Amino acid sequence: MRTVTIILAFITCMLCHSEVRAQCKSFVKSDCQPKLSPYIHDGNYNAIIMNEGEEAEIYKTIFAGQRYRMMICIDGSLPDAEFVVSDINRNILFDNRKENKTPQWDFKANTSQQIKITIRIPKSGSASKTESELVFGCVGILFGLLDK
């Protein structure tokens, strides 16, 4: 009987997690995508549930001559995201901490290359928060292209 209870608890937890991820993707589609305008969304929805203090990385291939808008979109429960964009050789191309934590970056790719975006959600308030006190929420990363 105990094994069945553990299995049911695990399945319930997985279903809840899937529902939260689906809600996050829905948030990114409805609340974030329109903010890319006048850039055209590239069709990829990168959405993740993050806690304060967590860091995530995403890789993206960009193409020479294209104009891009990269946007980080977070739900209202999290503090402003910090993000750094670097090339494959770890040269920093953009750091939003130097730009008043702006949530977007408009740029033209001079060369085709792979870039790495490192996103960090800083802890708000007390640095000594316990795991249960940390706030979590949805973080979306969207790319748009400017029609030439």
Side-chain angles (χ1 to χ4, degrees):
M1 184 68 174
R2 181 164 166 79
T3 304
V4 171
T5 304
I6 292 172
I7 291 171
L8 286 176
F10 177 76
I11 290 171
T12 302
C13 184
M14 291 304 293
L15 290 174
C16 290
H17 183 68
S18 294
E19 184 176 324
V20 169
R21 282 193 0 233
Q23 288 175 352
C24 182
K25 188 173 179 180
S26 177
F27 161 75
V28 172
K29 281 183 178 181
S30 64
D31 289 25
C32 305
Q33 184 179 338
K35 296 176 185 173
L36 280 174
S37 183
Y39 290 74
I40 312 272
H41 182 241
D42 73 353
N44 294 310
Y45 292 97
N46 302 293
I48 185 171
I49 303 297
M50 293 181 73
N51 285 327
E52 292 176 282
E54 278 192 315
E55 189 173 279
E57 293 179 350
I58 184 170
Y59 292 85
K60 174 80 173 170
T61 301
I62 58 173
F63 298 97
Q66 291 285 343
R67 292 193 173 277
Y68 291 92
R69 173 171 287 168
M70 188 199 92
M71 186 174 67
I72 305 293
C73 184
I74 57 175
D75 70 20
S77 61
L78 291 172
D80 290 339
E82 299 172 348
F83 68 91
V84 175
V85 181
S86 57
D87 65 16
I88 203 71
N89 296 317
R90 298 185 181 157
N91 297 311
I92 294 176
L93 306 173
F94 183 80
D95 184 341
N96 85 325
R97 294 171 297 183
K98 295 178 180 176
E99 301 293 333
N100 205 24
K101 290 190 182 179
T102 182
Q104 70 184 39
W105 179 41
D106 295 346
F107 65 98
K108 182 177 180 182
N110 295 325
T111 60
S112 296
Q113 64 180 314
Q114 188 174 51
I115 57 173
K116 178 174 84 169
I117 301 100
T118 305
I119 304 151
R120 187 169 115 33
I121 305 298
K123 287 185 181 179
S124 62
S126 171
S128 61
K129 285 184 176 181
T130 65
E131 191 71 28
S132 64
E133 295 174 315
L134 294 176
V135 175
F136 71 92
C138 181
V139 178
I141 305 106
L142 295 175
F143 281 85
L145 298 164
L146 193 59
D147 198 15
K148 294 179 183 178

PDB file of all heavy atoms in Angstrom, residues 43-67:
ATOM      1  N   GLY A  43       9.382  32.083 -33.701  1.00  0.00           N
ATOM      2  CA  GLY A  43       8.614  30.845 -33.570  1.00  0.00           C
ATOM      3  C   GLY A  43       9.037  29.941 -32.434  1.00  0.00           C
ATOM      4  O   GLY A  43       8.370  28.942 -32.157  1.00  0.00           O
ATOM      5  N   ASN A  44      10.126  30.247 -31.748  1.00  0.00           N
ATOM      6  CA  ASN A  44      10.602  29.421 -30.639  1.00  0.00           C
ATOM      7  C   ASN A  44      10.173  30.031 -29.310  1.00  0.00           C
ATOM      8  O   ASN A  44      10.397  31.217 -29.072  1.00  0.00           O
ATOM      9  CB  ASN A  44      12.124  29.299 -30.667  1.00  0.00           C
ATOM     10  CG  ASN A  44      12.595  28.541 -31.879  1.00  0.00           C
ATOM     11  OD1 ASN A  44      12.103  27.464 -32.166  1.00  0.00           O
ATOM     12  ND2 ASN A  44      13.536  29.110 -32.607  1.00  0.00           N
ATOM     13  N   TYR A  45       9.578  29.198 -28.465  1.00  0.00           N
ATOM     14  CA  TYR A  45       9.181  29.634 -27.128  1.00  0.00           C
ATOM     15  C   TYR A  45      10.081  28.957 -26.111  1.00  0.00           C
ATOM     16  O   TYR A  45      10.008  27.748 -25.915  1.00  0.00           O
ATOM     17  CB  TYR A  45       7.721  29.273 -26.851  1.00  0.00           C
ATOM     18  CG  TYR A  45       6.764  30.063 -27.701  1.00  0.00           C
ATOM     19  CD1 TYR A  45       6.252  29.535 -28.873  1.00  0.00           C
ATOM     20  CD2 TYR A  45       6.389  31.344 -27.335  1.00  0.00           C
ATOM     21  CE1 TYR A  45       5.389  30.269 -29.662  1.00  0.00           C
ATOM     22  CE2 TYR A  45       5.530  32.081 -28.123  1.00  0.00           C
ATOM     23  CZ  TYR A  45       5.029  31.538 -29.281  1.00  0.00           C
ATOM     24  OH  TYR A  45       4.180  32.269 -30.057  1.00  0.00           O
ATOM     25  N   ASN A  46      10.958  29.741 -25.517  1.00  0.00           N
ATOM     26  CA  ASN A  46      11.836  29.230 -24.480  1.00  0.00           C
ATOM     27  C   ASN A  46      11.285  29.742 -23.159  1.00  0.00           C
ATOM     28  O   ASN A  46      11.335  30.939 -22.882  1.00  0.00           O
ATOM     29  CB  ASN A  46      13.266  29.752 -24.686  1.00  0.00           C
ATOM     30  CG  ASN A  46      13.805  29.360 -26.038  1.00  0.00           C
ATOM     31  OD1 ASN A  46      14.017  28.193 -26.302  1.00  0.00           O
ATOM     32  ND2 ASN A  46      13.985  30.330 -26.918  1.00  0.00           N
ATOM     33  N   ALA A  47      10.757  28.838 -22.349  1.00  0.00           N
ATOM     34  CA  ALA A  47      10.154  29.223 -21.080  1.00  0.00           C
ATOM     35  C   ALA A  47      10.588  28.237 -20.007  1.00  0.00           C
ATOM     36  O   ALA A  47      10.657  27.026 -20.247  1.00  0.00           O
ATOM     37  CB  ALA A  47       8.636  29.236 -21.199  1.00  0.00           C
ATOM     38  N   ILE A  48      10.870  28.761 -18.824  1.00  0.00           N
ATOM     39  CA  ILE A  48      11.340  27.930 -17.731  1.00  0.00           C
ATOM     40  C   ILE A  48      10.849  28.516 -16.406  1.00  0.00           C
ATOM     41  O   ILE A  48      10.700  29.729 -16.276  1.00  0.00           O
ATOM     42  CB  ILE A  48      12.889  27.827 -17.746  1.00  0.00           C
ATOM     43  CG1 ILE A  48      13.398  26.862 -16.695  1.00  0.00           C
ATOM     44  CG2 ILE A  48      13.513  29.195 -17.575  1.00  0.00           C
ATOM     45  CD1 ILE A  48      14.881  26.553 -16.809  1.00  0.00           C
ATOM     46  N   ILE A  49      10.603  27.652 -15.453  1.00  0.00           N
ATOM     47  CA  ILE A  49      10.266  28.076 -14.101  1.00  0.00           C
ATOM     48  C   ILE A  49      11.593  28.195 -13.345  1.00  0.00           C
ATOM     49  O   ILE A  49      12.382  27.255 -13.308  1.00  0.00           O
ATOM     50  CB  ILE A  49       9.353  27.051 -13.385  1.00  0.00           C
ATOM     51  CG1 ILE A  49       8.074  26.810 -14.174  1.00  0.00           C
ATOM     52  CG2 ILE A  49       9.054  27.508 -11.960  1.00  0.00           C
ATOM     53  CD1 ILE A  49       7.184  28.005 -14.323  1.00  0.00           C
ATOM     54  N   MET A  50      11.835  29.381 -12.767  1.00  0.00           N
ATOM     55  CA  MET A  50      13.088  29.613 -12.040  1.00  0.00           C
ATOM     56  C   MET A  50      12.792  30.154 -10.647  1.00  0.00           C
ATOM     57  O   MET A  50      11.780  30.820 -10.431  1.00  0.00           O
ATOM     58  CB  MET A  50      13.975  30.606 -12.791  1.00  0.00           C
ATOM     59  CG  MET A  50      14.510  30.079 -14.111  1.00  0.00           C
ATOM     60  SD  MET A  50      15.595  31.264 -14.960  1.00  0.00           S
ATOM     61  CE  MET A  50      17.068  31.183 -13.926  1.00  0.00           C
ATOM     62  N   ASN A  51      13.694  29.873  -9.726  1.00  0.00           N
ATOM     63  CA  ASN A  51      13.668  30.424  -8.372  1.00  0.00           C
ATOM     64  C   ASN A  51      14.631  31.594  -8.282  1.00  0.00           C
ATOM     65  O   ASN A  51      15.576  31.693  -9.079  1.00  0.00           O
ATOM     66  CB  ASN A  51      14.132  29.384  -7.341  1.00  0.00           C
ATOM     67  CG  ASN A  51      13.113  28.330  -7.064  1.00  0.00           C
ATOM     68  OD1 ASN A  51      11.920  28.584  -7.092  1.00  0.00           O
ATOM     69  ND2 ASN A  51      13.587  27.120  -6.807  1.00  0.00           N
ATOM     70  N   GLU A  52      14.429  32.424  -7.279  1.00  0.00           N
ATOM     71  CA  GLU A  52      15.421  33.453  -6.973  1.00  0.00           C
ATOM     72  C   GLU A  52      16.751  32.748  -6.727  1.00  0.00           C
ATOM     73  O   GLU A  52      16.801  31.674  -6.140  1.00  0.00           O
ATOM     74  CB  GLU A  52      15.031  34.205  -5.705  1.00  0.00           C
ATOM     75  CG  GLU A  52      13.802  35.056  -5.827  1.00  0.00           C
ATOM     76  CD  GLU A  52      13.466  35.673  -4.488  1.00  0.00           C
ATOM     77  OE1 GLU A  52      12.903  34.959  -3.636  1.00  0.00           O
ATOM     78  OE2 GLU A  52      13.773  36.862  -4.302  1.00  0.00           O
ATOM     79  N   GLY A  53      17.824  33.358  -7.203  1.00  0.00           N
ATOM     80  CA  GLY A  53      19.155  32.796  -6.997  1.00  0.00           C
ATOM     81  C   GLY A  53      19.567  31.770  -8.038  1.00  0.00           C
ATOM     82  O   GLY A  53      20.718  31.345  -8.049  1.00  0.00           O
ATOM     83  N   GLU A  54      18.670  31.382  -8.932  1.00  0.00           N
ATOM     84  CA  GLU A  54      18.996  30.387  -9.947  1.00  0.00           C
ATOM     85  C   GLU A  54      19.576  31.033 -11.194  1.00  0.00           C
ATOM     86  O   GLU A  54      19.346  32.211 -11.467  1.00  0.00           O
ATOM     87  CB  GLU A  54      17.757  29.587 -10.354  1.00  0.00           C
ATOM     88  CG  GLU A  54      17.433  28.469  -9.429  1.00  0.00           C
ATOM     89  CD  GLU A  54      16.399  27.531 -10.014  1.00  0.00           C
ATOM     90  OE1 GLU A  54      15.389  28.006 -10.577  1.00  0.00           O
ATOM     91  OE2 GLU A  54      16.601  26.311  -9.899  1.00  0.00           O
ATOM     92  N   GLU A  55      20.300  30.215 -11.944  1.00  0.00           N
ATOM     93  CA  GLU A  55      20.908  30.641 -13.201  1.00  0.00           C
ATOM     94  C   GLU A  55      20.592  29.600 -14.263  1.00  0.00           C
ATOM     95  O   GLU A  55      20.542  28.416 -13.974  1.00  0.00           O
ATOM     96  CB  GLU A  55      22.420  30.763 -13.004  1.00  0.00           C
ATOM     97  CG  GLU A  55      23.146  31.395 -14.136  1.00  0.00           C
ATOM     98  CD  GLU A  55      24.617  31.639 -13.795  1.00  0.00           C
ATOM     99  OE1 GLU A  55      24.906  32.637 -13.126  1.00  0.00           O
ATOM    100  OE2 GLU A  55      25.450  30.815 -14.227  1.00  0.00           O
ATOM    101  N   ALA A  56      20.359  30.063 -15.492  1.00  0.00           N
ATOM    102  CA  ALA A  56      20.090  29.153 -16.610  1.00  0.00           C
ATOM    103  C   ALA A  56      20.840  29.652 -17.835  1.00  0.00           C
ATOM    104  O   ALA A  56      21.170  30.838 -17.939  1.00  0.00           O
ATOM    105  CB  ALA A  56      18.589  29.098 -16.898  1.00  0.00           C
ATOM    106  N   GLU A  57      21.124  28.744 -18.763  1.00  0.00           N
ATOM    107  CA  GLU A  57      21.814  29.093 -20.002  1.00  0.00           C
ATOM    108  C   GLU A  57      21.000  28.597 -21.184  1.00  0.00           C
ATOM    109  O   GLU A  57      20.357  27.548 -21.115  1.00  0.00           O
ATOM    110  CB  GLU A  57      23.187  28.426 -20.069  1.00  0.00           C
ATOM    111  CG  GLU A  57      24.164  28.930 -19.054  1.00  0.00           C
ATOM    112  CD  GLU A  57      25.506  28.210 -19.139  1.00  0.00           C
ATOM    113  OE1 GLU A  57      25.621  27.191 -19.857  1.00  0.00           O
ATOM    114  OE2 GLU A  57      26.438  28.677 -18.476  1.00  0.00           O
ATOM    115  N   ILE A  58      21.050  29.351 -22.258  1.00  0.00           N
ATOM    116  CA  ILE A  58      20.431  28.937 -23.508  1.00  0.00           C
ATOM    117  C   ILE A  58      21.390  29.322 -24.634  1.00  0.00           C
ATOM    118  O   ILE A  58      22.082  30.339 -24.542  1.00  0.00           O
ATOM    119  CB  ILE A  58      19.039  29.575 -23.700  1.00  0.00           C
ATOM    120  CG1 ILE A  58      18.378  29.044 -24.975  1.00  0.00           C
ATOM    121  CG2 ILE A  58      19.108  31.078 -23.719  1.00  0.00           C
ATOM    122  CD1 ILE A  58      16.925  29.438 -25.108  1.00  0.00           C
ATOM    123  N   TYR A  59      21.444  28.494 -25.658  1.00  0.00           N
ATOM    124  CA  TYR A  59      22.293  28.761 -26.817  1.00  0.00           C
ATOM    125  C   TYR A  59      21.403  29.075 -28.012  1.00  0.00           C
ATOM    126  O   TYR A  59      20.332  28.500 -28.178  1.00  0.00           O
ATOM    127  CB  TYR A  59      23.185  27.552 -27.117  1.00  0.00           C
ATOM    128  CG  TYR A  59      24.222  27.327 -26.046  1.00  0.00           C
ATOM    129  CD1 TYR A  59      23.923  26.593 -24.904  1.00  0.00           C
ATOM    130  CD2 TYR A  59      25.487  27.877 -26.169  1.00  0.00           C
ATOM    131  CE1 TYR A  59      24.867  26.406 -23.906  1.00  0.00           C
ATOM    132  CE2 TYR A  59      26.443  27.692 -25.171  1.00  0.00           C
ATOM    133  CZ  TYR A  59      26.123  26.952 -24.047  1.00  0.00           C
ATOM    134  OH  TYR A  59      27.052  26.777 -23.065  1.00  0.00           O
ATOM    135  N   LYS A  60      21.872  29.978 -28.852  1.00  0.00           N
ATOM    136  CA  LYS A  60      21.100  30.407 -30.017  1.00  0.00           C
ATOM    137  C   LYS A  60      22.067  30.678 -31.159  1.00  0.00           C
ATOM    138  O   LYS A  60      23.114  31.310 -30.959  1.00  0.00           O
ATOM    139  CB  LYS A  60      20.329  31.690 -29.662  1.00  0.00           C
ATOM    140  CG  LYS A  60      19.590  32.338 -30.792  1.00  0.00           C
ATOM    141  CD  LYS A  60      18.284  31.640 -31.061  1.00  0.00           C
ATOM    142  CE  LYS A  60      17.467  32.406 -32.079  1.00  0.00           C
ATOM    143  NZ  LYS A  60      16.340  31.654 -32.524  1.00  0.00           N
ATOM    144  N   THR A  61      21.708  30.226 -32.350  1.00  0.00           N
ATOM    145  CA  THR A  61      22.489  30.549 -33.538  1.00  0.00           C
ATOM    146  C   THR A  61      21.891  31.794 -34.171  1.00  0.00           C
ATOM    147  O   THR A  61      20.688  31.869 -34.376  1.00  0.00           O
ATOM    148  CB  THR A  61      22.479  29.385 -34.538  1.00  0.00           C
ATOM    149  OG1 THR A  61      23.021  28.221 -33.891  1.00  0.00           O
ATOM    150  CG2 THR A  61      23.300  29.716 -35.771  1.00  0.00           C
ATOM    151  N   ILE A  62      22.756  32.773 -34.435  1.00  0.00           N
ATOM    152  CA  ILE A  62      22.335  34.002 -35.106  1.00  0.00           C
ATOM    153  C   ILE A  62      23.044  34.062 -36.458  1.00  0.00           C
ATOM    154  O   ILE A  62      24.106  33.467 -36.641  1.00  0.00           O
ATOM    155  CB  ILE A  62      22.614  35.256 -34.249  1.00  0.00           C
ATOM    156  CG1 ILE A  62      24.099  35.367 -33.902  1.00  0.00           C
ATOM    157  CG2 ILE A  62      21.756  35.245 -32.985  1.00  0.00           C
ATOM    158  CD1 ILE A  62      24.486  36.665 -33.205  1.00  0.00           C
ATOM    159  N   PHE A  63      22.436  34.805 -37.387  1.00  0.00           N
ATOM    160  CA  PHE A  63      22.944  34.808 -38.752  1.00  0.00           C
ATOM    161  C   PHE A  63      23.344  36.206 -39.196  1.00  0.00           C
ATOM    162  O   PHE A  63      22.655  37.192 -38.909  1.00  0.00           O
ATOM    163  CB  PHE A  63      21.894  34.215 -39.694  1.00  0.00           C
ATOM    164  CG  PHE A  63      21.581  32.790 -39.360  1.00  0.00           C
ATOM    165  CD1 PHE A  63      20.472  32.478 -38.573  1.00  0.00           C
ATOM    166  CD2 PHE A  63      22.419  31.763 -39.777  1.00  0.00           C
ATOM    167  CE1 PHE A  63      20.197  31.162 -38.236  1.00  0.00           C
ATOM    168  CE2 PHE A  63      22.145  30.443 -39.442  1.00  0.00           C
ATOM    169  CZ  PHE A  63      21.037  30.145 -38.670  1.00  0.00           C
ATOM    170  N   ALA A  64      24.459  36.288 -39.904  1.00  0.00           N
ATOM    171  CA  ALA A  64      25.034  37.559 -40.362  1.00  0.00           C
ATOM    172  C   ALA A  64      24.011  38.376 -41.128  1.00  0.00           C
ATOM    173  O   ALA A  64      23.256  37.849 -41.945  1.00  0.00           O
ATOM    174  CB  ALA A  64      26.258  37.296 -41.233  1.00  0.00           C
ATOM    175  N   GLY A  65      23.999  39.672 -40.841  1.00  0.00           N
ATOM    176  CA  GLY A  65      23.137  40.602 -41.552  1.00  0.00           C
ATOM    177  C   GLY A  65      21.731  40.734 -40.979  1.00  0.00           C
ATOM    178  O   GLY A  65      21.010  41.651 -41.353  1.00  0.00           O
ATOM    179  N   GLN A  66      21.331  39.839 -40.102  1.00  0.00           N
ATOM    180  CA  GLN A  66      19.989  39.885 -39.511  1.00  0.00           C
ATOM    181  C   GLN A  66      19.942  40.874 -38.343  1.00  0.00           C
ATOM    182  O   GLN A  66      20.895  40.985 -37.587  1.00  0.00           O
ATOM    183  CB  GLN A  66      19.563  38.511 -38.988  1.00  0.00           C
ATOM    184  CG  GLN A  66      19.306  37.486 -40.045  1.00  0.00           C
ATOM    185  CD  GLN A  66      17.978  37.727 -40.754  1.00  0.00           C
ATOM    186  OE1 GLN A  66      17.095  38.443 -40.297  1.00  0.00           O
ATOM    187  NE2 GLN A  66      17.839  37.124 -41.922  1.00  0.00           N
ATOM    188  N   ARG A  67      18.825  41.545 -38.198  1.00  0.00           N
ATOM    189  CA  ARG A  67      18.567  42.406 -37.041  1.00  0.00           C
ATOM    190  C   ARG A  67      17.675  41.631 -36.079  1.00  0.00           C
ATOM    191  O   ARG A  67      16.641  41.109 -36.478  1.00  0.00           O
ATOM    192  CB  ARG A  67      17.894  43.704 -37.457  1.00  0.00           C
ATOM    193  CG  ARG A  67      18.805  44.591 -38.271  1.00  0.00           C
ATOM    194  CD  ARG A  67      18.199  45.996 -38.376  1.00  0.00           C
ATOM    195  NE  ARG A  67      19.130  46.887 -39.015  1.00  0.00           N
ATOM    196  CZ  ARG A  67      20.133  47.514 -38.401  1.00  0.00           C
ATOM    197  NH1 ARG A  67      20.329  47.323 -37.124  1.00  0.00           N
ATOM    198  NH2 ARG A  67      20.923  48.324 -39.072  1.00  0.00           N
TER     199      ARG A  67
END
